[in-house]
Amino acid sequence: MPFITDRYHDQNRNRQPAAPAAAPASSTPDTPDTPAALAERLRSRVLGQDPAVDAVVRAITLARAGATEPDRPPATVLLLGPTGVGKTELVRQVAAALRSGPDDLCRVDMNSLAQEHYAASFNGAPPGYAGSKEAFTVFDRSTVEGDPYTPGIVLFDEVEKAHPTVLRALLGVLDNGMLRLANGQEKISFRNSFVFLTSNLGSKELARRRGSRWRALLDRGRTRRAVVDKALQSFFDPEFLNRIDETVIFDELDRTTIEQVARLETDLLRARLRRRGVDLQVEESAVRLLAEQGFDPVYGARGLRRTLRTHLAAPVAAEIMRVRPTGTAPLRITATAASGAIRATATDPES
């Protein structure tokens, strides 16, 4: 099996391996377990980030094929880019594909570990301190270690906001895939877990250079990779960067991608309302208006979600409460764009 923990090996060391089962005759290159199918699934939810999707699929493929080192995490991927471009969403969709759902992962918000003493939240309080024997940790062991058939997924979100001492506590985890708790009696294995780290390093500098016309002319020959690499090297220790398997830089969302995201978010809103007996029809003009008003390269898709909430969801909700204040009778709402605003109108669902 591609995802086997060391504990499983220790327990089954003396057993004879079973003969491999023959592949079903109906299997095709696009079955859900293939890299092509996984990449297509991720691209359908994370739009405009094909290089990032390819890098994540490549890391998963290497682990599934057994080509990774057995005494390290299968993959340690650093995702870089401005806010709202899909870094965290990509990891959530990986969890949805490999585990039971998008929230079935161990997520550590590093902005809550901004002080030095929070390094103890990884391996527990040191001896002599309260809680040292209980070995409390922020890691959920079952989610991190997974099982012989399912990998673990760990997300360190906004890693640059943690204290440097907290980051140094991760060196052993990224190097040998093991975290020994402070009580000395327990340890957590990361050798069956995909480790993802997200960061916004370099985004502020890129935004500043994009806003300055003369700076853009002077930096015409420089790439985004050079700016981000400089920010990484100035913030992280070399030994930390040396334990990263792959660094992926997300692209800023352009107008075409924002329009695609607007359609995706509109479909999600329609699905939520459909469960309440409301059939929402959104005209293409309304989608284009949402994309135009919600486009902001600084805030990415999060700015679009705020625009959709204010300009589409709010008038639709008001129309629902006007026509159907109580009950669950079927209702059809049509959203159209007129004079720079979106208007929601209730129509007969039988028509």
Side-chain angles (χ1 to χ4, degrees), residues 66-268:
T68 56
E69 300 178 29
D71 56 349
R72 295 185 65 241
T76 303
V77 183
L78 176 60
L79 308 177
L80 298 165
T83 180
V85 295
K87 302 185 296 296
T88 303
E89 182 63 21
L90 177 57
V91 182
R92 295 181 72 251
Q93 294 307 316
V94 170
L98 301 184
R99 296 181 61 87
S100 63
D103 296 321
D104 189 10
L105 75 165
C106 181
R107 176 174 175 176
V108 181
D109 291 322
M110 302 297 279
N111 53 16
S112 62
L113 308 177
Q115 300 181 20
E116 181 178 1
H117 60 271
Y118 280 117
S121 62
F122 287 161
N123 55 2
Y129 287 79
S132 60
K133 295 182 180 181
E134 289 79 1
F136 294 125
T137 176
V138 297
F139 298 113
D140 180 15
R141 186 189 297 271
S142 61
T143 308
V144 172
E145 294 184 344
D147 56 54
Y149 308 98
T150 307
I153 296 179
V154 181
L155 170 62
F156 296 100
D157 207 7
E158 296 185 333
V159 67
E160 80 280 1
K161 293 181 173 59
H163 194 276
T165 303
V166 177
L167 297 180
R168 295 188 186 100
L170 293 176
L171 292 179
V173 173
L174 302 182
D175 188 37
N176 56 33
M178 299 297 294
L179 175 66
R180 182 174 294 276
L181 302 184
N183 61 6
Q185 301 175 358
E186 302 178 43
K187 56 185 179 180
I188 300 177
S189 174
F190 287 73
R191 295 178 179 179
N192 187 35
S193 180
F194 292 102
V195 179
F196 295 95
L197 307 95
T198 67
S199 174
N200 298 327
L201 285 174
S203 301
K204 185 179 296 185
E205 177 65 16
L206 288 173
R208 187 178 67 87
R209 292 172 182 269
R210 183 183 62 248
S212 176
R213 181 174 302 178
W214 66 270
R215 176 67 70 177
L217 293 175
L218 292 177
D219 295 341
R220 181 175 297 177
R222 299 188 62 187
T223 61
R224 298 178 67 249
R225 167 72 67 171
V227 176
V228 174
D229 285 344
K230 183 179 179 180
L232 285 177
Q233 294 170 7
S234 62
F235 183 85
F236 292 114
D237 296 333
E239 57 268 26
F240 184 88
L241 291 176
N242 203 29
R243 288 165 169 79
I244 303 297
D245 294 327
E246 190 161 1
T247 301
V248 182
I249 299 179
F250 279 61
D251 297 325
E252 295 178 348
L253 301 182
D254 54 18
R255 292 186 179 274
T256 302
T257 304
I258 283 290
E259 190 167 330
Q260 296 174 355
V261 174
R263 292 191 181 92
L264 177 61
E265 293 293 332
T266 302
D267 291 340
L268 294 177

